[in-house]
Amino acid sequence: MKFKDKNVLIVGSTGGIGKKVTEMFHNEGANLILFSRNTDLLSEQKKKYGERALIVSGDALSEEDLTNAVGLGNQQFGEISILFHAVGSIVLKPTNNLTPDIFRQTLELNLVSPFISIKAVLPDMLKNGGSIVVTSSVAGSKGLTNHEAIAAAKGGLESFVKSFAITYAKKNIRINAVALGLVDTPLASFLTQNKMSLKASENMHPMGRIGQPGDVVGAVSFLASDEAEWITGSVLSVDGGMAAG
């Protein structure tokens, strides 16, 4: 019960990784503020997790919606001390096929959204400290074909993580990122459901397979917990060896 009585905001709780991480936090004793735009899946999570879960429907790009989620969480559980942000996208287009709108949308979802979430919980964490974990990509630090948009967004996110860590270290607020390879989630289904693209993706990972949502849980659990109390500003590769290759 390493998160017993901790109040955790999970942005993107109904996604493939978000669901597994939500289950972990619940099993480890946390109170959950679950944020997503998928009201049906949020209702299922409420039934599953009961009184220790507060569901809030909203847009991960809306400052108003996220501030509202934090306020409701404060009313029900108290101050939020952990944030996990799991909203993102997979955009695989070379620059000549990217439109400015697609590029901007990729930056918004993968860089601006975590910023808005962090801003929303920051007043709580400035009181008593806290831990933030965001999801990045191996593309944030390693050049990959057709990844220009997502690389720009995740590279920016990783730089933000490092600067934020320095700014707020003395306030006992930690921030870290998990940089993922391809993980088998509904978001990645356009790749994983095609045999040729799946095989190509598996070959890109030195360990010979793509990730499963459960492969990410341990890293998030560690970085969010007091076991990592002297770790901030780090980007932990959870990618089947891609970043090392």
Side-chain angles (χ1 to χ4, degrees):
M1 302 290 282
K2 76 167 83 172
F3 298 110
K4 183 173 174 56
D5 298 327
K6 297 282 189 180
N7 302 325
V8 182
L9 172 61
I10 302 171
V11 179
S13 68
T14 61
I17 293 170
K19 285 195 288 189
K20 278 291 187 181
V21 170
T22 295
E23 183 178 26
M24 176 275 294
F25 276 121
H26 176 267
N27 291 343
E28 294 287 352
N31 298 315
L32 309 171
I33 301 97
L34 306 179
F35 185 93
S36 171
R37 64 184 179 185
N38 191 320
T39 54
D40 291 338
L41 291 180
L42 279 175
S43 296
E44 290 179 14
Q45 289 186 315
K46 178 61 178 176
K47 291 177 183 177
K48 183 175 182 178
Y49 299 121
E51 63 182 14
R52 285 202 285 119
L54 168 68
I55 62 170
V56 184
S57 175
D59 182 351
L61 285 170
S62 167
E63 185 176 4
E64 181 180 359
D65 288 354
L66 282 156
T67 301
N68 177 59
V70 171
L72 293 173
N74 291 164
Q75 291 174 24
Q76 183 153 332
F77 300 123
E79 292 167 359
I80 294 168
S81 60
I82 297 172
L83 166 66
F84 176 59
H85 186 280
V87 173
S89 63
I90 302 174
V91 178
L92 304 181
K93 289 179 180 290
T95 298
N96 61 291
N97 288 341
L98 278 171
T99 65
D101 282 346
I102 292 174
F103 192 80
R104 289 190 190 98
Q105 289 165 10
T106 306
L107 291 176
E108 287 276 321
L109 200 56
N110 294 276
L111 179 56
V112 178
S113 174
F115 165 76
I116 293 172
S117 297
I118 290 166
K119 282 276 288 184
V121 299
L122 197 51
D124 281 8
M125 293 187 177
L126 283 170
K127 298 174 185 175
N128 296 303
S131 178
I132 299 165
V133 182
V134 297
T135 51
S136 186
S137 164
V138 63
S141 61
K142 185 177 178 67
L144 297 173
T145 304
N146 297 335
H147 281 65
E148 289 93 315
I150 197 69
K154 296 301 192 183
L157 179 61
E158 292 183 9
S159 293
F160 174 87
V161 164
K162 294 171 185 177
S163 186
F164 182 97
I166 299 302
T167 302
Y168 291 98
K170 287 184 170 57
K171 299 293 186 179
N172 196 32
I173 302 173
R174 298 187 302 105
I175 184 170
N176 296 286
V178 287
L180 309 179
L182 182 64
V183 180
D184 189 7
T185 66
L187 185 66
S189 62
F190 74 100
L191 291 169
T192 59
Q193 290 180 4
N194 179 290
K195 289 184 178 180
M196 290 184 63
S197 64
L198 175 59
K199 186 63 177 177
S201 297
E202 289 171 340
N203 290 337
M204 289 177 66
H205 295 73
M207 295 188 75
R209 68 173 178 86
I210 65 170
Q212 297 297 318
D215 293 323
V216 183
V217 171
V220 175
S221 175
F222 169 67
L223 290 173
S225 76
D226 291 341
E227 294 173 350
E229 65 179 356
W230 209 45
I231 299 174
T232 192
S234 292
V235 179
L236 177 59
S237 296
V238 186
D239 61 5
M242 283 187 73

